[in-house]
Amino acid sequence: MFTQRIDHLLASPAAPELNRRGFLLVSAAAAGTGLALGVMAPLQGNPALAAGEPGPAVFNPFVRITPDNKVIVLSKHLDKGQGTASGLATLVAEELDADWAQMRAEFAPANVALYQNFLFGVQGTGGSSAIANSFEQYRTAGAAARAMIVEAAAAKWGVMADRISVSKGVVSDGKNSATLGELAEAAAKRTVPVAPKLKDAKDWIYIGKSFPRLDAAAKTTAQPIFTQDVQLSGMVTAALARAPRFGATVASFDAAAAKKIAGVIDVMQIPQGVAVLATSTWGAITGRDALKVTWDESKAETRGSDKLIAEYRELAATSGASVRKDGDAVAGLKSAVKVIEAEFVFPFLAHAPMEPMNCVMQMKDGAVTIWTGSQLQTVDQNIAAAILGVRPEDVSINTLWAGGSFGRRGVYNSDFVAETAELVKAYGKPV
C-alpha cells in the first residue's frame, strides 16, 4: 500500500552510465526486479516478529519503528567496517529527532527498484558513494516519519500540529507526552508528506558529531552478525581449490587423500575449480589441501610481475587516447628551465580483507536465499539467478556485516557467490 506514497523518497538525478560492460548488463537484467516493501531480512529482523508480537510500523522503505521504541534504519549499502550503517542511521535520527540510544541498523533486501545506488544505477556500495548519494534521501525519510508522528500525536491529543515538539525520541505538546514507539502504529497509517521540511545545518545535533557506532557492541561481544555465523539445517561447508594462474582450468584431480579426511562428504568439480564438501570448515580446508590437482595452463596468464611491468612501460611510451586537453604540456616541458622526472611502479595489489570471502546459499522450491556481505546486491542477485536458472526476483539476499572489503566483494562476476551457486546447483543442499 506504500508504493504510491514513496516515489518522492526514491527520486534522484539520473544515474550516469557506467563504463564496465558487466555493470550495464546486470543493470538491464535488474529492470524486471519486483517491488517489495516490508520485507525483513532473516537473522536480522525484530525478535518480536518470531515471537508473534506486534512488528515494527513501516513508514517508508528506510524507516521502521517498533512498539518497544526502537528505530530501525534499513541501510541500502553494505557496512564492511567503514561505518555506513551508522552514518545512514545518523541522517534519519537527525531529522526524526530520535534518541541515539534507540537507533538500530539493518541491511535492506536486494531490490534495485527501492534501494539503488544513484551513482551506479544498481544496488551496491563503493567509490565512497554511500553517504553522498543517500544524504538527502535518508534525511527526507526521517523527516517524513517525524511529520507523520507529529500528525498522529496532534490527532490523539486534539491539538494543532505546531504545538507538538520532538526531542530525543520524546513527543510532547507541553501537557501530554509519548515515545515514538507509542505513536508509531497510528503514525504509519498517515499519508507520507511529499516534501517534508529538512533541518538547517545550524540546527544539526547528530550530523558531523562523534558518538558510538551502532555495530561497536556487536563486534566487541562476538554477536553472530557475520556470514560465518549462519548455520542452516542440512548445510555443508565447502572449500575450493582454485587455479594458481588466471585462465587455467582443471585437467584432472585425485581426491583419494581428501576423502580420507574426517568430515569430508564429497569432492566435485565445478567451472571454478575442485570443491571439497565437509561437515565443518576445518574438514573442508584440510580436505582441499589434500587434493592433488593437475592444471591445464595452456590458456593461462603465465607472465610474472617483471614481464607485465615491462609491457606497461612500452604502453606508457605510446600515444594514448586524449580525453581532455588544456594548454600545451609538451611545449611547456620543452621550454622549462628545470624538468623533474620520476617513475612510480606499484606491484599487483591484493584486496585481502580480514574476513575471508564467504557465502551461504540454499535453494528451495525454486526460491534462492543468500546470506553474505554483499557489496553489489544487484550483481550477486543476477549472477546467482543465471547459474541456478531462476528469475532475479526469486533470489533473496540477506546482506550481513562484512569484515572488510577494499572492493574485493564488489566484482563484476561475483566470484565467490557464483562458486556457491554452482555448488548448490550440483549438490542440491544448502552450502
Side-chain angles (χ1 to χ4, degrees):
M1 63 179 178
F2 294 97
T3 53
Q4 296 179 347
R5 294 162 38 184
I6 60 168
D7 291 345
H8 63 286
L9 294 178
L10 304 175
S12 72
E17 272 195 21
L18 296 177
N19 292 328
R20 283 196 179 185
R21 180 172 178 269
F23 281 9
L24 292 175
L25 290 174
V26 296
S27 299
T33 302
L35 192 68
L37 292 177
V39 178
M40 297 294 288
L43 301 182
Q44 292 184 285
N46 178 14
L49 295 179
E53 299 174 15
V58 179
F59 285 78
N60 50 60
F62 313 102
V63 181
R64 295 166 185 181
I65 302 177
T66 67
D68 60 352
N69 206 33
K70 293 182 178 66
V71 177
I72 300 172
V73 178
L74 269 66
S75 172
K76 67 179 186 178
H77 296 285
L78 170 67
D79 194 317
K80 47 191 182 289
Q82 81 279 35
T84 293
S86 292
L88 296 179
T90 299
L91 303 179
V92 171
E94 183 68 76
E95 298 294 344
L96 183 58
D97 282 315
D99 185 75
W100 187 247
Q102 69 186 126
M103 301 304 295
R104 302 290 186 273
E106 295 181 2
F107 295 108
N111 188 323
V112 69
L114 292 179
Y115 301 113
Q116 72 167 275
N117 183 317
F118 301 138
L119 178 65
F120 298 166
V122 298
Q123 185 177 353
T125 307
S128 299
S129 63
I131 300 299
N133 92 93
S134 304
F135 189 69
E136 289 194 8
Q137 185 182 44
Y138 275 73
R139 287 178 63 201
T140 300
R146 183 190 188 280
M148 296 159 72
I149 289 281
V150 168
E151 286 184 7
K156 181 177 181 179
W157 299 329
V159 299
M160 299 296 291
D162 59 9
R163 292 272 306 275
I164 305 294
S165 65
V166 186
S167 177
K168 291 187 176 181
V170 177
V171 186
S172 175
D173 67 349
K175 180 180 178 182
N176 304 289
S177 66
T179 65
L180 299 177
E182 290 170 337
L183 295 167
E185 184 177 359
K189 297 175 182 178
R190 307 191 74 85
T191 302
V192 179
V194 174
K197 180 176 173 55
L198 302 181
K199 289 183 179 179
D200 292 328
K202 63 181 178 58
D203 299 322
W204 289 347
I205 59 175
Y206 289 123
I207 296 176
K209 308 300 190 299
S210 179
F211 40 86
R213 281 172 36 165
L214 298 179
D215 54 330
K219 289 180 177 177
T220 53
T221 57
Q223 294 181 27
I225 61 174
F226 296 101
T227 309
Q228 197 81 4
D229 300 312
V230 178
Q231 298 293 325
L232 304 178
S233 177
M235 184 180 78
V236 299
T237 300
L240 191 68
R242 301 177 183 84
R245 297 180 186 275
F246 293 119
T249 57
V250 177
S252 63
F253 68 92
D254 182 351
K259 291 182 177 180
K260 293 179 181 178
I261 301 296
V264 171
I265 299 170
D266 201 355
V267 178
M268 59 179 57
Q269 182 178 340
I270 61 174
Q272 297 89 341
V274 181
V276 173
L277 282 64
T279 56
S280 68
T281 301
W282 177 250
I285 292 175
T286 307
R288 185 269 316 275
D289 293 344
L291 283 173
K292 295 180 181 179
V293 184
T294 301
W295 300 97
D296 178 359
E297 298 184 354
S298 59
K299 297 181 180 179
E301 173 59 83
T302 58
R303 293 173 296 172
S305 294
D306 290 344
K307 289 186 177 180
L308 290 172
I309 290 171
E311 181 186 41
Y312 295 154
R313 283 197 175 97
E314 293 177 3
L315 290 170
T318 62
S319 298
S322 179
V323 178
R324 174 175 171 176
K325 185 175 181 180
D326 295 330
D328 193 340
V330 175
L333 289 171
K334 287 181 179 179
S335 61
V337 176
K338 185 177 182 180
V339 175
I340 300 174
E341 293 185 3
E343 180 183 79
F344 299 89
V345 178
F346 292 88
F348 177 82
L349 300 180
H351 285 45
M354 291 184 291
E355 180 191 11
M357 297 299 95
N358 49 29
C359 178
V360 173
M361 188 181 303
Q362 72 173 358
M363 183 173 182
K364 186 176 181 180
D365 299 327
V368 179
T369 307
I370 298 173
W371 291 263
T372 189
S374 180
Q375 187 170 347
L376 291 174
Q377 288 88 347
T378 305
V379 180
D380 293 344
Q381 189 178 40
N382 281 275
I383 285 180
I387 292 172
L388 292 168
V390 299
R391 302 173 303 170
E393 55 264 40
D394 293 327
V395 178
S396 300
I397 298 180
N398 300 313
T399 297
L400 304 181
W401 296 86
S405 176
F406 310 105
R408 175 61 184 89
R409 301 171 189 275
V411 294
Y412 74 97
N413 63 349
S414 298
D415 56 346
F416 63 100
V417 173
E419 291 168 355
T420 313
E422 292 284 2
L423 288 168
V424 168
K425 180 179 180 180
Y427 192 65
K429 294 181 180 180
V431 177

Short mmCIF file of all heavy atoms in Angstrom, two decimals, residues 57-87:
data_model
loop_
_atom_site.label_atom_id
_atom_site.label_comp_id
_atom_site.label_asym_id
_atom_site.label_seq_id
_atom_site.Cartn_x
_atom_site.Cartn_y
_atom_site.Cartn_z
N ALA A 57 6.29 -0.67 12.82
CA ALA A 57 5.48 0.12 11.90
C ALA A 57 6.36 0.59 10.75
O ALA A 57 7.45 1.12 10.97
CB ALA A 57 4.88 1.33 12.63
N VAL A 58 5.93 0.38 9.53
CA VAL A 58 6.71 0.72 8.35
C VAL A 58 6.31 2.11 7.85
O VAL A 58 5.16 2.33 7.44
CB VAL A 58 6.50 -0.32 7.23
CG1 VAL A 58 7.31 0.04 5.99
CG2 VAL A 58 6.88 -1.71 7.72
N PHE A 59 7.26 3.04 7.88
CA PHE A 59 6.97 4.40 7.44
C PHE A 59 7.34 4.61 5.98
O PHE A 59 6.72 5.39 5.27
CB PHE A 59 7.73 5.40 8.31
CG PHE A 59 7.12 5.57 9.68
CD1 PHE A 59 7.33 4.63 10.67
CD2 PHE A 59 6.31 6.65 9.96
CE1 PHE A 59 6.75 4.76 11.93
CE2 PHE A 59 5.72 6.80 11.21
CZ PHE A 59 5.94 5.86 12.20
N ASN A 60 8.38 3.96 5.53
CA ASN A 60 8.85 4.03 4.15
C ASN A 60 9.89 2.93 3.99
O ASN A 60 10.14 2.19 4.94
CB ASN A 60 9.41 5.43 3.83
CG ASN A 60 10.41 5.91 4.88
OD1 ASN A 60 11.44 5.27 5.08
ND2 ASN A 60 10.11 7.02 5.55
N PRO A 61 10.52 2.79 2.84
CA PRO A 61 11.47 1.68 2.68
C PRO A 61 12.70 1.75 3.58
O PRO A 61 13.49 0.81 3.62
CB PRO A 61 11.89 1.81 1.21
CG PRO A 61 10.78 2.54 0.55
CD PRO A 61 10.30 3.51 1.57
N PHE A 62 12.88 2.86 4.29
CA PHE A 62 14.11 3.05 5.05
C PHE A 62 13.90 3.13 6.56
O PHE A 62 14.86 2.95 7.31
CB PHE A 62 14.80 4.33 4.58
CG PHE A 62 14.89 4.45 3.09
CD1 PHE A 62 14.03 5.25 2.38
CD2 PHE A 62 15.84 3.72 2.39
CE1 PHE A 62 14.10 5.34 0.99
CE2 PHE A 62 15.92 3.80 1.01
CZ PHE A 62 15.05 4.61 0.31
N VAL A 63 12.70 3.42 7.02
CA VAL A 63 12.47 3.68 8.44
C VAL A 63 11.34 2.81 8.98
O VAL A 63 10.24 2.77 8.41
CB VAL A 63 12.13 5.16 8.69
CG1 VAL A 63 11.91 5.43 10.18
CG2 VAL A 63 13.22 6.07 8.14
N ARG A 64 11.62 2.15 10.11
CA ARG A 64 10.61 1.38 10.82
C ARG A 64 10.77 1.67 12.31
O ARG A 64 11.89 1.84 12.80
CB ARG A 64 10.78 -0.11 10.56
CG ARG A 64 10.50 -0.46 9.10
CD ARG A 64 10.98 -1.83 8.75
NE ARG A 64 10.79 -2.04 7.32
CZ ARG A 64 11.09 -3.16 6.69
NH1 ARG A 64 11.60 -4.17 7.36
NH2 ARG A 64 10.91 -3.26 5.40
N ILE A 65 9.67 1.71 13.02
CA ILE A 65 9.70 1.97 14.45
C ILE A 65 8.91 0.87 15.16
O ILE A 65 7.76 0.61 14.82
CB ILE A 65 9.11 3.35 14.79
CG1 ILE A 65 9.89 4.45 14.05
CG2 ILE A 65 9.17 3.60 16.31
CD1 ILE A 65 9.33 5.85 14.26
N THR A 66 9.53 0.23 16.12
CA THR A 66 8.91 -0.89 16.81
C THR A 66 8.09 -0.41 18.00
O THR A 66 8.30 0.69 18.52
CB THR A 66 9.98 -1.87 17.32
OG1 THR A 66 10.76 -1.23 18.34
CG2 THR A 66 10.90 -2.31 16.20
N PRO A 67 7.13 -1.23 18.44
CA PRO A 67 6.32 -0.85 19.61
C PRO A 67 7.16 -0.62 20.86
O PRO A 67 6.78 0.15 21.74
CB PRO A 67 5.38 -2.05 19.78
CG PRO A 67 5.31 -2.67 18.43
CD PRO A 67 6.67 -2.50 17.83
N ASP A 68 8.32 -1.30 20.95
CA ASP A 68 9.18 -1.09 22.13
C ASP A 68 10.18 0.04 21.92
O ASP A 68 11.20 0.12 22.59
CB ASP A 68 9.89 -2.38 22.53
CG ASP A 68 10.79 -2.92 21.42
OD1 ASP A 68 10.74 -2.39 20.29
OD2 ASP A 68 11.54 -3.87 21.68
N ASN A 69 9.87 0.91 20.94
CA ASN A 69 10.56 2.20 20.80
C ASN A 69 11.96 2.11 20.18
O ASN A 69 12.82 2.92 20.47
CB ASN A 69 10.65 2.93 22.15
CG ASN A 69 10.76 4.43 21.99
OD1 ASN A 69 10.22 5.02 21.06
ND2 ASN A 69 11.49 5.08 22.89
N LYS A 70 12.15 1.17 19.30
CA LYS A 70 13.40 1.11 18.55
C LYS A 70 13.17 1.67 17.15
O LYS A 70 12.16 1.35 16.51
CB LYS A 70 13.92 -0.32 18.46
CG LYS A 70 14.37 -0.92 19.77
CD LYS A 70 14.90 -2.32 19.57
CE LYS A 70 15.40 -2.93 20.88
NZ LYS A 70 14.29 -3.13 21.84
N VAL A 71 14.08 2.46 16.67
CA VAL A 71 14.01 2.99 15.30
C VAL A 71 14.97 2.19 14.44
O VAL A 71 16.19 2.21 14.66
CB VAL A 71 14.39 4.48 15.26
CG1 VAL A 71 14.37 4.99 13.81
CG2 VAL A 71 13.45 5.31 16.13
N ILE A 72 14.43 1.44 13.49
CA ILE A 72 15.24 0.59 12.63
C ILE A 72 15.44 1.29 11.29
O ILE A 72 14.49 1.66 10.61
CB ILE A 72 14.55 -0.77 12.38
CG1 ILE A 72 14.33 -1.50 13.71
CG2 ILE A 72 15.39 -1.64 11.44
CD1 ILE A 72 13.49 -2.74 13.58
N VAL A 73 16.70 1.48 10.94
CA VAL A 73 17.04 2.11 9.66
C VAL A 73 17.58 1.03 8.74
O VAL A 73 18.56 0.34 9.08
CB VAL A 73 18.08 3.22 9.84
CG1 VAL A 73 18.46 3.82 8.49
CG2 VAL A 73 17.53 4.32 10.75
N LEU A 74 16.95 0.83 7.59
CA LEU A 74 17.41 -0.15 6.61
C LEU A 74 18.45 0.50 5.71
O LEU A 74 18.15 1.43 4.96
CB LEU A 74 16.24 -0.68 5.78
CG LEU A 74 15.56 -1.95 6.33
CD1 LEU A 74 14.88 -1.65 7.66
CD2 LEU A 74 14.57 -2.51 5.34
N SER A 75 19.66 0.00 5.81
CA SER A 75 20.76 0.53 5.01
C SER A 75 20.80 -0.14 3.65
O SER A 75 20.88 -1.36 3.56
CB SER A 75 22.09 0.31 5.73
OG SER A 75 23.18 0.66 4.90
N LYS A 76 20.75 0.65 2.60
CA LYS A 76 20.82 0.07 1.27
C LYS A 76 22.28 -0.22 0.87
O LYS A 76 22.54 -0.79 -0.17
CB LYS A 76 20.17 0.99 0.24
CG LYS A 76 20.89 2.32 -0.01
CD LYS A 76 20.14 3.13 -1.06
CE LYS A 76 20.89 4.40 -1.44
NZ LYS A 76 20.20 5.18 -2.48
N HIS A 77 23.21 0.20 1.74
CA HIS A 77 24.63 0.00 1.47
C HIS A 77 25.24 -0.99 2.46
O HIS A 77 24.86 -1.04 3.62
CB HIS A 77 25.37 1.33 1.57
CG HIS A 77 24.94 2.33 0.54
ND1 HIS A 77 25.31 2.25 -0.78
CD2 HIS A 77 24.16 3.44 0.65
CE1 HIS A 77 24.78 3.27 -1.45
NE2 HIS A 77 24.08 3.99 -0.60
N LEU A 78 26.23 -1.75 1.99
CA LEU A 78 26.96 -2.67 2.84
C LEU A 78 27.85 -1.90 3.81
O LEU A 78 28.49 -0.92 3.43
CB LEU A 78 27.84 -3.59 1.98
CG LEU A 78 28.85 -4.46 2.73
CD1 LEU A 78 28.14 -5.51 3.58
CD2 LEU A 78 29.81 -5.13 1.75
N ASP A 79 27.87 -2.34 5.06
CA ASP A 79 28.84 -1.81 6.01
C ASP A 79 29.92 -2.86 6.20
O ASP A 79 29.70 -3.91 6.78
CB ASP A 79 28.17 -1.49 7.36
CG ASP A 79 29.06 -0.63 8.24
OD1 ASP A 79 30.27 -0.91 8.31
OD2 ASP A 79 28.55 0.31 8.88
N LYS A 80 31.09 -2.57 5.68
CA LYS A 80 32.22 -3.50 5.73
C LYS A 80 33.31 -2.97 6.65
O LYS A 80 34.48 -3.29 6.50
CB LYS A 80 32.74 -3.74 4.33
CG LYS A 80 32.95 -2.49 3.48
CD LYS A 80 33.21 -2.85 2.03
CE LYS A 80 33.46 -1.63 1.15
NZ LYS A 80 32.24 -0.83 0.95
N GLY A 81 32.89 -2.11 7.59
CA GLY A 81 33.82 -1.54 8.53
C GLY A 81 33.99 -0.04 8.39
O GLY A 81 34.59 0.61 9.24
N GLN A 82 33.43 0.52 7.31
CA GLN A 82 33.62 1.94 7.06
C GLN A 82 32.60 2.82 7.78
O GLN A 82 32.70 4.05 7.76
CB GLN A 82 33.59 2.23 5.54
CG GLN A 82 32.20 2.34 4.91
CD GLN A 82 31.55 1.02 4.60
OE1 GLN A 82 31.71 0.05 5.33
NE2 GLN A 82 30.80 0.97 3.51
N GLY A 83 31.60 2.20 8.43
CA GLY A 83 30.65 2.96 9.24
C GLY A 83 29.41 3.44 8.52
O GLY A 83 28.68 4.29 9.05
N THR A 84 29.13 2.91 7.35
CA THR A 84 27.97 3.36 6.57
C THR A 84 26.65 3.19 7.30
O THR A 84 25.80 4.08 7.27
CB THR A 84 27.92 2.59 5.23
OG1 THR A 84 29.05 2.97 4.44
CG2 THR A 84 26.65 2.93 4.47
N ALA A 85 26.46 2.05 7.96
CA ALA A 85 25.17 1.81 8.63
C ALA A 85 24.91 2.86 9.70
O ALA A 85 23.80 3.38 9.83
CB ALA A 85 25.15 0.40 9.23
N SER A 86 25.93 3.18 10.48
CA SER A 86 25.78 4.23 11.50
C SER A 86 25.57 5.58 10.84
O SER A 86 24.81 6.41 11.33
CB SER A 86 27.01 4.27 12.41
OG SER A 86 27.11 3.10 13.20
N GLY A 87 26.25 5.80 9.73
CA GLY A 87 26.11 7.08 9.03
C GLY A 87 24.71 7.32 8.52
O GLY A 87 24.15 8.41 8.68
#
